[in-house]
């Protein structure tokens, strides 16, 4: 009987641990997804700005330099 109680207690503690691990993992994934969405919006706005700039550029026009990326945009994956 003592062995059964020990196994049940161990099983319940493992289940609690797994729920805790799952909650931690989902919280981290939610945060990463939120950060990813922010970066995608910034990247999309930058690409749209570049496209608008490119439409104004003609061989004889003085359109000026291309727009700078937003300050919050993380471009490190493309700078490797």
């Amino acid at each position: 009987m003592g062995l059964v109680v020990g196994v049940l207690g161990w099983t319940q503690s493992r289940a609690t641990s797994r729920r805790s691990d799952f909650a931690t993992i989902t919280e981290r994934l939610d945060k990463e997804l939120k950060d990813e969405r922010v970066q995608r919006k910034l990247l999309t706005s930058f690409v749209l700005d570049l496209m608008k700039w490119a439409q104004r550029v003609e061989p004889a026009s003085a359109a000026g330099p291309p727009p700078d990326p937003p300050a919050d945009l993380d471009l490190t994956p493309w700078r490797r």
Side-chain angles (χ1 to χ4, degrees), residues 14-28:
R14 280 199 51 175
T16 302
S17 176
R18 278 189 298 229
R19 278 193 295 272
S20 173
D21 291 347
F22 181 76
T24 303
I25 290 169
T26 54
E27 287 171 7
R28 179 177 172 193

Side-chain angles (χ1 to χ4, degrees), residues 6 17 21 24 36 45 53 78 80:
S17 176
D21 291 347
T24 303
E36 174 78 17
S45 70
W53 175 81
W78 290 275
R80 291 184 187 163

Side-chain angles (χ1 to χ4, degrees), residues 40-68:
R40 284 182 186 226
K41 284 180 184 178
L42 289 169
L43 183 60
T44 301
S45 70
F46 180 53
V47 169
L48 291 175
D49 287 346
L50 280 176
M51 290 174 66
K52 288 176 193 173
W53 175 81
Q55 288 175 350
R56 288 193 305 236
V57 174
E58 295 174 2
S61 72
D68 291 327

Side-chain angles (χ1 to χ4, degrees), residues 4-40:
V4 172
V5 171
V7 169
L8 288 176
W10 177 75
T11 304
Q12 284 183 332
S13 69
R14 280 199 51 175
T16 302
S17 176
R18 278 189 298 229
R19 278 193 295 272
S20 173
D21 291 347
F22 181 76
T24 303
I25 290 169
T26 54
E27 287 171 7
R28 179 177 172 193
L29 289 174
D30 287 343
K31 182 189 175 308
E32 289 179 2
L33 180 62
K34 181 182 172 193
D35 294 344
E36 174 78 17
R37 284 182 177 153
V38 168
Q39 286 296 308
R40 284 182 186 226

